[in-house]
Amino acid sequence: MTRGEYGGGLGEEFFTPGSSSFSEFLAAHRPELLSTRRVLPDGVRAAPDQVPHGTTVLALAYRDGVLIAGDRRATMGNLIAQRDLEKVHPADDLSAVAFAGTVGLALDMVKLYQVELTHFEKIEGTPMTLNAKARRLAGMIRDNLGQAMQGLAVVPLLTGYDPSKPEGERGRIFSFDVAGGLYEKRDFQAEGSGSPYARGALKKLFHRGMSRREAALTALQALYDAADDDSATGGPDINRRIFPIVSVITEDGFERLPESETEELSREMAEQRSSRPDGPTATP
């Protein structure tokens, strides 16, 4: 019997030397708490119209760092499961993660990842490097491979501000595949069912050295294009006052744009689209 089983103290596992990974600690001592490692019975697949899925998320580098944004819709098949889902979350002071895919597992993964980074910093006395954060998230996605193959995939998008890089290159973007493959994207990236349309808009509108306002408008234009062609992606809902989540990471840390600012930019964009439905043309 360990001390923890009496309810009066910590168990022996808390006093046993190990790695600085919180998820590895759980896997060794409380594996039942890791929802990303639970696999459905053989031959069973999740019904796509019974599990909420979230799309679309994107990121782009700009003059002061990196911007990450997401629409608010979650769907179950042809039904809208939620109109105001939050898909963009801070990971720590200098990084953020957004997700597309199975909502329940994605939210669990985001929470575990936040604890993972905090735990590492407390154990090691220093924050993870951004490269290490990306590799750690890739490992967590790989742990979910069994469920991904059964229709419960999670595809995050990681962004961060890296002070070790030269000025103008400190905003970094990492994408992943369902098997935990890790890919750094130089300028922009989008994930989710609306991502082909969002990437097309970003390719047209992106240019280096954008201000925060320009980057935010570009992200909103890309999400609008995604919603225009993908029914699983939600555009700005003016009547319900539900707008995409837009956040930035700079040398000052993570900041979510105030809803008032996002609403102002969304209304400006919608007004422009009323006279030009296809959106702005490419920057010369």
Side-chain angles (χ1 to χ4, degrees), residues 62-66 90 92-96 160-163 170-171 212 247-256:
Y62 76 106
R63 183 175 61 205
D64 299 323
V66 63
D92 63 5
D93 290 342
L94 291 177
S95 61
Y161 183 85
D162 190 345
R170 292 175 181 171
R212 186 174 98 160
S247 298
V248 296
I249 312 168
T250 66
E251 64 179 349
D252 295 323
F254 175 91
E255 178 189 356
R256 175 170 165 170

Side-chain angles (χ1 to χ4, degrees), residues 63-209:
R63 183 175 61 205
D64 299 323
V66 63
L67 178 146
I68 185 166
D71 82 307
R72 307 293 294 277
R73 180 172 292 179
T75 57
M76 292 193 302
N78 64 325
L79 300 178
I80 296 176
Q82 188 173 345
R83 300 179 188 274
D84 59 352
L85 178 66
E86 298 202 7
K87 305 174 188 175
V88 179
H89 302 267
D92 63 5
D93 290 342
L94 291 177
S95 61
V97 62
F99 66 83
T102 307
V103 172
L105 284 176
L107 291 173
D108 280 354
M109 187 179 292
V110 168
K111 292 174 184 175
L112 179 60
Y113 186 60
Q114 291 168 332
V115 174
E116 182 83 3
L117 300 188
T118 301
H119 181 79
F120 178 92
E121 185 170 353
K122 287 181 176 180
I123 296 297
E124 299 293 338
T126 185
M128 274 191 201
T129 65
L130 189 53
N131 285 338
K133 292 175 190 177
R135 290 193 297 270
R136 189 62 57 91
L137 184 54
M140 295 172 67
I141 299 167
R142 195 171 301 115
D143 288 340
N144 189 54
L145 181 58
Q147 291 188 96
M149 295 297 99
Q150 293 180 311
L152 299 174
V154 177
V155 183
L157 187 61
L158 176 68
T159 59
Y161 183 85
D162 190 345
S164 69
K165 292 292 184 179
E167 189 171 350
E169 300 178 14
R170 292 175 181 171
R172 300 175 66 189
I173 302 166
F174 299 89
S175 69
F176 308 83
D177 60 36
V178 295
L182 171 61
Y183 315 93
E184 182 167 5
K185 304 297 181 178
R186 178 171 172 79
D187 295 323
F188 57 81
Q189 178 63 4
E191 300 290 353
S193 62
S195 61
Y197 313 108
R199 281 197 295 268
L202 290 170
K203 186 180 294 186
K204 176 178 69 172
L205 299 175
F206 177 85
H207 64 89
R208 287 201 157 269

Side-chain angles (χ1 to χ4, degrees), residues 197-207 210 213-226 228 265-266 268-284:
Y197 313 108
R199 281 197 295 268
L202 290 170
K203 186 180 294 186
K204 176 178 69 172
L205 299 175
F206 177 85
H207 64 89
M210 285 191 292
R213 177 181 172 83
E214 289 175 314
L217 274 172
T218 296
L220 291 172
Q221 294 280 8
L223 289 172
Y224 190 103
D225 280 347
D228 198 36
L265 294 174
S266 296
E268 177 182 328
M269 178 196 63
E271 180 64 26
Q272 294 171 354
R273 290 281 182 143
S274 66
S275 58
R276 191 181 181 93
D278 292 337
T281 58
T283 304

Side-chain angles (χ1 to χ4, degrees), residues 40-72:
L40 300 175
D42 290 343
V44 175
R45 283 184 59 84
D49 59 348
Q50 297 297 316
V51 181
H53 281 72
T55 59
T56 298
V57 296
L58 59 84
L60 64 149
Y62 76 106
R63 183 175 61 205
D64 299 323
V66 63
L67 178 146
I68 185 166
D71 82 307
R72 307 293 294 277

